[in-house]
Short mmCIF file of all heavy atoms in Angstrom, two decimals:
data_model
loop_
_atom_site.label_atom_id
_atom_site.label_comp_id
_atom_site.label_asym_id
_atom_site.label_seq_id
_atom_site.Cartn_x
_atom_site.Cartn_y
_atom_site.Cartn_z
N ILE A 79 -20.87 91.82 19.57
CA ILE A 79 -20.05 92.04 20.81
C ILE A 79 -20.65 93.19 21.61
O ILE A 79 -20.76 93.14 22.83
CB ILE A 79 -18.59 92.29 20.44
CG1 ILE A 79 -17.97 91.02 19.85
CG2 ILE A 79 -17.83 92.80 21.66
CD1 ILE A 79 -16.56 91.23 19.32
N VAL A 80 -21.03 94.28 20.89
CA VAL A 80 -21.57 95.46 21.56
C VAL A 80 -22.89 95.13 22.27
O VAL A 80 -23.07 95.48 23.45
CB VAL A 80 -21.78 96.59 20.53
CG1 VAL A 80 -22.57 97.75 21.17
CG2 VAL A 80 -20.44 97.11 20.02
N VAL A 81 -23.80 94.43 21.60
CA VAL A 81 -25.10 94.16 22.22
C VAL A 81 -24.97 93.16 23.37
O VAL A 81 -25.77 93.20 24.33
CB VAL A 81 -26.13 93.64 21.19
CG1 VAL A 81 -26.41 94.71 20.14
CG2 VAL A 81 -25.71 92.34 20.52
N ILE A 82 -23.95 92.27 23.30
CA ILE A 82 -23.73 91.35 24.43
C ILE A 82 -23.18 92.11 25.62
O ILE A 82 -23.61 91.91 26.75
CB ILE A 82 -22.77 90.23 23.99
CG1 ILE A 82 -23.44 89.27 22.97
CG2 ILE A 82 -22.27 89.44 25.21
CD1 ILE A 82 -22.51 88.26 22.37
N ILE A 83 -22.22 93.01 25.36
CA ILE A 83 -21.63 93.80 26.46
C ILE A 83 -22.71 94.68 27.10
O ILE A 83 -22.75 94.82 28.35
CB ILE A 83 -20.48 94.67 25.92
CG1 ILE A 83 -19.29 93.78 25.53
CG2 ILE A 83 -20.04 95.71 26.98
CD1 ILE A 83 -18.13 94.54 24.89
N LEU A 84 -23.58 95.27 26.27
CA LEU A 84 -24.63 96.15 26.76
C LEU A 84 -25.83 95.38 27.34
O LEU A 84 -26.78 95.99 27.84
CB LEU A 84 -25.10 97.11 25.66
CG LEU A 84 -24.05 98.08 25.13
CD1 LEU A 84 -24.65 98.94 24.01
CD2 LEU A 84 -23.55 98.98 26.25
N LYS A 85 -25.76 94.03 27.20
CA LYS A 85 -26.80 93.15 27.76
C LYS A 85 -28.19 93.47 27.18
O LYS A 85 -29.19 93.53 27.90
CB LYS A 85 -26.84 93.21 29.27
CG LYS A 85 -25.54 92.73 29.91
CD LYS A 85 -25.61 92.76 31.42
CE LYS A 85 -24.31 92.25 32.06
NZ LYS A 85 -24.34 92.27 33.54
N ARG A 86 -28.21 93.73 25.88
CA ARG A 86 -29.50 93.95 25.21
C ARG A 86 -30.26 92.62 25.15
O ARG A 86 -29.65 91.57 25.05
CB ARG A 86 -29.28 94.48 23.79
CG ARG A 86 -28.38 95.70 23.68
CD ARG A 86 -29.03 96.93 24.24
NE ARG A 86 -30.16 97.40 23.44
CZ ARG A 86 -30.72 98.58 23.59
NH1 ARG A 86 -30.28 99.43 24.54
NH2 ARG A 86 -31.74 98.95 22.84
N PRO A 87 -31.58 92.65 25.23
CA PRO A 87 -32.38 91.42 25.25
C PRO A 87 -32.26 90.64 23.94
O PRO A 87 -32.47 91.19 22.87
CB PRO A 87 -33.79 91.91 25.49
CG PRO A 87 -33.78 93.33 25.05
CD PRO A 87 -32.43 93.85 25.37
N HIS A 88 -31.86 89.37 24.06
CA HIS A 88 -31.69 88.51 22.90
C HIS A 88 -32.90 87.59 22.73
O HIS A 88 -33.66 87.35 23.69
CB HIS A 88 -30.41 87.64 23.07
CG HIS A 88 -29.16 88.37 22.78
ND1 HIS A 88 -28.77 89.52 23.42
CD2 HIS A 88 -28.16 88.10 21.88
CE1 HIS A 88 -27.61 89.92 22.96
NE2 HIS A 88 -27.22 89.09 22.01
N PRO A 89 -33.10 87.03 21.54
CA PRO A 89 -34.18 86.05 21.34
C PRO A 89 -34.00 84.87 22.28
O PRO A 89 -32.85 84.48 22.59
CB PRO A 89 -34.01 85.64 19.86
CG PRO A 89 -33.31 86.79 19.22
CD PRO A 89 -32.40 87.35 20.27
N ILE A 90 -35.10 84.28 22.67
CA ILE A 90 -35.05 83.16 23.60
C ILE A 90 -35.36 81.84 22.92
O ILE A 90 -34.63 80.85 23.10
CB ILE A 90 -36.04 83.41 24.77
CG1 ILE A 90 -35.65 84.69 25.52
CG2 ILE A 90 -36.05 82.22 25.73
CD1 ILE A 90 -36.65 85.08 26.59
N THR A 91 -36.40 81.82 22.13
CA THR A 91 -36.85 80.55 21.53
C THR A 91 -36.21 80.31 20.15
O THR A 91 -35.73 81.26 19.53
CB THR A 91 -38.39 80.55 21.36
OG1 THR A 91 -38.74 81.56 20.40
CG2 THR A 91 -39.07 80.87 22.69
N ARG A 92 -36.22 79.08 19.74
CA ARG A 92 -35.73 78.74 18.43
C ARG A 92 -36.56 79.43 17.33
O ARG A 92 -36.01 79.83 16.29
CB ARG A 92 -35.75 77.22 18.22
CG ARG A 92 -34.77 76.45 19.07
CD ARG A 92 -34.84 74.97 18.73
NE ARG A 92 -33.90 74.20 19.51
CZ ARG A 92 -33.77 72.88 19.45
NH1 ARG A 92 -34.58 72.17 18.65
NH2 ARG A 92 -32.90 72.24 20.22
N LYS A 93 -37.85 79.55 17.55
CA LYS A 93 -38.73 80.22 16.58
C LYS A 93 -38.33 81.67 16.39
O LYS A 93 -38.31 82.17 15.25
CB LYS A 93 -40.17 80.09 17.04
CG LYS A 93 -41.17 80.55 16.01
CD LYS A 93 -42.60 80.28 16.50
CE LYS A 93 -43.61 80.68 15.41
NZ LYS A 93 -45.01 80.38 15.89
N GLU A 94 -37.97 82.33 17.47
CA GLU A 94 -37.53 83.72 17.35
C GLU A 94 -36.22 83.82 16.61
O GLU A 94 -36.05 84.72 15.75
CB GLU A 94 -37.41 84.36 18.76
CG GLU A 94 -38.75 84.60 19.44
CD GLU A 94 -38.57 85.15 20.81
OE1 GLU A 94 -37.45 85.02 21.39
OE2 GLU A 94 -39.55 85.69 21.36
N TRP A 95 -35.30 82.96 16.89
CA TRP A 95 -33.99 82.95 16.18
C TRP A 95 -34.21 82.63 14.71
O TRP A 95 -33.56 83.24 13.85
CB TRP A 95 -33.06 81.92 16.79
CG TRP A 95 -32.32 82.41 18.01
CD1 TRP A 95 -32.50 82.05 19.29
CD2 TRP A 95 -31.30 83.42 18.03
NE1 TRP A 95 -31.67 82.74 20.14
CE2 TRP A 95 -30.91 83.58 19.40
CE3 TRP A 95 -30.66 84.19 17.09
CZ2 TRP A 95 -29.91 84.46 19.80
CZ3 TRP A 95 -29.66 85.11 17.48
CH2 TRP A 95 -29.32 85.22 18.82
N PHE A 96 -35.16 81.75 14.40
CA PHE A 96 -35.45 81.43 13.00
C PHE A 96 -35.96 82.64 12.27
O PHE A 96 -35.58 82.93 11.10
CB PHE A 96 -36.46 80.29 12.94
CG PHE A 96 -36.95 79.98 11.54
CD1 PHE A 96 -36.14 79.26 10.66
CD2 PHE A 96 -38.19 80.42 11.10
CE1 PHE A 96 -36.59 79.00 9.36
CE2 PHE A 96 -38.63 80.16 9.83
CZ PHE A 96 -37.83 79.43 8.97
N LYS A 97 -36.87 83.39 12.88
CA LYS A 97 -37.43 84.59 12.26
C LYS A 97 -36.35 85.62 12.03
O LYS A 97 -36.31 86.31 10.99
CB LYS A 97 -38.56 85.16 13.11
CG LYS A 97 -39.80 84.27 13.13
CD LYS A 97 -40.91 84.86 14.02
CE LYS A 97 -42.17 83.99 13.96
NZ LYS A 97 -43.23 84.53 14.83
N LEU A 98 -35.46 85.77 13.02
CA LEU A 98 -34.37 86.72 12.87
C LEU A 98 -33.47 86.32 11.70
O LEU A 98 -33.01 87.17 10.91
CB LEU A 98 -33.57 86.79 14.17
CG LEU A 98 -32.55 87.91 14.34
CD1 LEU A 98 -32.36 88.23 15.80
CD2 LEU A 98 -31.21 87.55 13.73
N CYS A 99 -33.20 85.03 11.61
CA CYS A 99 -32.35 84.52 10.50
C CYS A 99 -33.02 84.72 9.15
O CYS A 99 -32.35 84.99 8.15
CB CYS A 99 -32.01 83.06 10.74
SG CYS A 99 -30.88 82.78 12.11
N MET A 100 -34.33 84.57 9.11
CA MET A 100 -35.07 84.77 7.83
C MET A 100 -34.94 86.24 7.41
O MET A 100 -34.81 86.53 6.19
CB MET A 100 -36.56 84.41 8.00
CG MET A 100 -36.78 82.91 8.06
SD MET A 100 -36.31 82.08 6.50
CE MET A 100 -37.49 82.78 5.36
N ILE A 101 -34.98 87.16 8.34
CA ILE A 101 -34.79 88.56 7.99
C ILE A 101 -33.39 88.76 7.44
O ILE A 101 -33.17 89.46 6.45
CB ILE A 101 -35.02 89.47 9.23
CG1 ILE A 101 -36.49 89.42 9.63
CG2 ILE A 101 -34.61 90.90 8.93
CD1 ILE A 101 -36.80 90.10 10.93
N GLY A 102 -32.38 88.12 8.06
CA GLY A 102 -31.00 88.19 7.56
C GLY A 102 -30.88 87.58 6.16
O GLY A 102 -30.09 88.08 5.36
#
Side-chain angles (χ1 to χ4, degrees):
I79 292 172
V80 170
V81 297
I82 290 172
I83 292 175
L84 296 178
K85 297 181 179 180
R86 307 290 292 192
H88 282 57
I90 299 175
T91 66
R92 291 182 180 179
K93 189 174 182 179
E94 288 177 342
W95 278 109
F96 174 77
K97 290 179 178 179
L98 191 153
C99 290
M100 285 297 294
I101 293 172

